[in-house]
Amino acid sequence: MARKPSQKLVRFKMSADGEIVGLLKDLAPVGEDAVLSSLIGWRDGQGNPRRARATYDNGWTVELFFTQPRGGKIRLSSYRVNWRGTIKGKAA
């Protein structure tokens, strides 16, 4: 059995339009005053978006994973929300 060739993804900068920002706010409320620092996407060889990463200024990161297009539509398959930061004071 031959091994399936790896699927290379190409990184690109996404525009923060109303639809993607609305989806991010619905999935992961990371703070009322959080500002979107960067929005980066990855697309496959056919130009279909497969992943996206939104980074906020307060340390939150939201990663979105999309399915391959079926019937001309791409769906959200899963997402992950992470926080990176430091704790100062007695808890450290």
Side-chain angles (χ1 to χ4, degrees), residues 8-14 38 40-43 53:
K8 303 292 182 188
L9 299 178
V10 178
R11 184 178 171 156
F12 69 101
K13 187 171 182 177
M14 297 179 74
S38 69
I40 299 171
W42 287 266
R43 59 179 157 224
R53 180 186 303 138

Side-chain angles (χ1 to χ4, degrees), residues 3-61:
R3 186 174 182 187
K4 186 177 178 181
S6 67
Q7 188 178 23
K8 303 292 182 188
L9 299 178
V10 178
R11 184 178 171 156
F12 69 101
K13 187 171 182 177
M14 297 179 74
S15 62
D17 62 353
E19 184 177 340
I20 194 85
V21 172
L23 177 65
L24 288 168
K25 284 185 180 182
D26 289 343
L27 292 175
V30 296
E32 296 274 332
D33 56 350
V35 177
L36 185 63
S37 298
S38 69
L39 184 58
I40 299 171
W42 287 266
R43 59 179 157 224
D44 59 12
Q46 290 80 31
N48 301 314
R50 299 303 308 270
R51 292 179 51 205
R53 180 186 303 138
T55 307
Y56 292 90
D57 64 345
N58 59 0
W60 287 96
T61 302

